[in-house]
Amino acid sequence: MTPSTLNKIPEKFSGTSSVLSYYLKFLILGAFFGFVLTKAEVISWFRIQEMFRFESFHMYGVIGSAVVVGMVSIFLIRRLNIRSADGEKIVLRPKKFHPGTLLGGIIFGLGWALTGACPGPLFALVGNGFSIILVPLASAIVGTWVYGYFRDRLPH
Amino acid sequence: MRDVLYEPWPWYIAGPLIGLMVPLLLLLANKQFGISSSLRHMCAACAPIKIPFFHYDWKTERWNLVFVGGIILGGILASFFMPNEPVQITADTTAQLKALGVEEFNHLIPADIFSWSNLLSFQGIVFMVVGGFLVGFGARYAGGCTSGHAIMGLSYLQWPSLVAVIGFFIGGLTATYFILPLLF
């Protein structure tokens, strides 16, 4: 693997079957994630209300233990210099800070408590057959678009 | 095994499994966990017009769109294993929500608020249309959502992610205590 081929996925694959197998793993990972989100009721509006009322440990336990697992794995990946399956070095992009990190975060939080769902659960709820959730999902896409439209005029 | 599939999963099973998304995406594909970027890719693919923010090679990010497609699929699969009973939130939360005016507790979401028939009421517009808009707008402005900031960002100790998560809670608590009571 030469540096020039990095991040050129899926162009580095030739043939339909390898492109399919490249995307298949994301489909499976996503399905696993959506399944767990549903089974833990993380996608429930009621669970989010409970969380923001500090009435139950459930959501804090889910997010907290997920962060611990993520933290330990990234520590090990870095410490042991583990490479990805394609032999690439794993480099994490730093998260940038700007006023929007807080302002956008507050705006997101308002929406999270109203819809009772962040983006992952919105998709999972649609899968669970709640067709009405297509409305907040479409609205979230519009919100993303409007952010892009006004981006230059917002403090960053 | 059958029982495990049908019961709701406790946090100490679900949380670590969700956390595994971080190393699995990194190790299998060298990708950073994050969901809300998919909304940007959809804008870039469908209606970029002249907005610079949507002019990039979204096709290299198609994996993210396949991933959220997978989440829908996972929701479909899980729906076959969901018990036909209300979400077991605490009695206190139920009482508070009833006092607020929520009447329907039988599904994952309250059907009296989230329904097509309620969509054009003031309440429906705020919960569904405005709420969704704020989720999409806020996530992109903050640079991530619960997955990208709270789980991924905190996992590699990014302090901006901590700021974003604090923002999520400032917004969430404001909506819970000051906005929700106005909507019933």
Side-chain angles (χ1 to χ4, degrees), chain A residues 4-13 19 22-23 25-26 86 88 93, chain B residues 25 29-32 34 37-38 40-42 44-45 53-67:
Chain A
S4 63
T5 60
L6 291 177
N7 300 321
K8 286 272 170 67
I9 297 162
E11 286 83 344
K12 69 175 181 179
F13 290 95
V19 171
Y22 172 74
Y23 286 120
K25 59 176 175 282
F26 297 111
D86 291 332
E88 295 173 9
R93 295 184 302 277
Chain B
L25 281 170
N30 208 0
K31 299 293 180 198
Q32 284 187 223
S37 305
S38 65
R40 181 186 180 191
H41 306 325
M42 290 174 197
F53 187 63
F54 298 126
H55 281 271
Y56 58 95
D57 190 8
W58 63 271
K59 287 180 181 167
T60 59
E61 305 291 332
R62 261 190 298 223
W63 72 271
N64 198 245
L65 297 171
V66 176
F67 186 72

Side-chain angles (χ1 to χ4, degrees), chain A residues 84-96:
Chain A
S84 75
D86 291 332
E88 295 173 9
K89 188 171 169 52
I90 293 173
V91 182
L92 299 169
R93 295 184 302 277
K95 300 273 182 188
K96 292 192 202 83

Side-chain angles (χ1 to χ4, degrees), chain A residues 31-32 39 44-45 50 52-53 55 65-67 85 88-89 93 95 98 101 114 118 127 131 139-140 145 148 155, chain B residues 5 7 9 15 21 27 30 32 47 70 76 81 89-90 92-93 96 108 116 127 129 132 141 146 156 158 160 173:
Chain A
F32 177 73
K39 285 307 300 177
S44 169
W45 182 87
E50 190 183 49
F52 281 129
R53 288 160 204 273
E55 290 282 344
S65 58
V67 172
E88 295 173 9
K89 188 171 169 52
R93 295 184 302 277
K95 300 273 182 188
H98 56 82
T101 313
L114 287 170
C118 41
S131 61
S139 209
W145 191 90
Chain B
L5 270 179
E7 293 288 311
W9 292 357
M21 283 295 124
L27 294 173
N30 208 0
Q32 284 187 223
I76 295 173
F81 302 101
I89 48 172
T90 61
D92 228 26
T93 310
Q96 287 183 33
L108 285 166
W116 290 103
F127 272 108
V129 181
Y141 194 13
T146 326
Y156 64 116
Q158 299 295 295
L173 293 174

Side-chain angles (χ1 to χ4, degrees), chain B residues 44-151:
Chain B
C46 299
I49 58 165
K50 291 198 170 80
I51 302 169
F53 187 63
F54 298 126
H55 281 271
Y56 58 95
D57 190 8
W58 63 271
K59 287 180 181 167
T60 59
E61 305 291 332
R62 261 190 298 223
W63 72 271
N64 198 245
L65 297 171
V66 176
F67 186 72
V68 298
I71 298 177
I72 298 178
L73 179 64
I76 295 173
L77 295 175
S79 67
F80 293 107
F81 302 101
M82 292 306 281
N84 214 352
E85 54 188 50
V87 177
Q88 298 296 311
I89 48 172
T90 61
D92 228 26
T93 310
T94 307
Q96 287 183 33
L97 293 174
K98 275 185 178 159
L100 207 57
V102 180
E103 289 165 358
E104 210 279 338
F105 290 80
N106 291 330
H107 304 94
L108 285 166
I109 55 176
D112 49 341
I113 301 171
F114 294 89
S115 68
W116 290 103
S117 56
N118 197 35
L119 180 56
L120 293 179
S121 69
F122 173 72
Q123 185 194 53
I125 288 172
V126 177
F127 272 108
M128 295 180 261
V129 181
V130 177
F133 183 92
L134 296 174
V135 165
F137 186 97
R140 212 67 272 119
Y141 194 13
C145 59
T146 326
S147 55
H149 271 313
I151 296 176

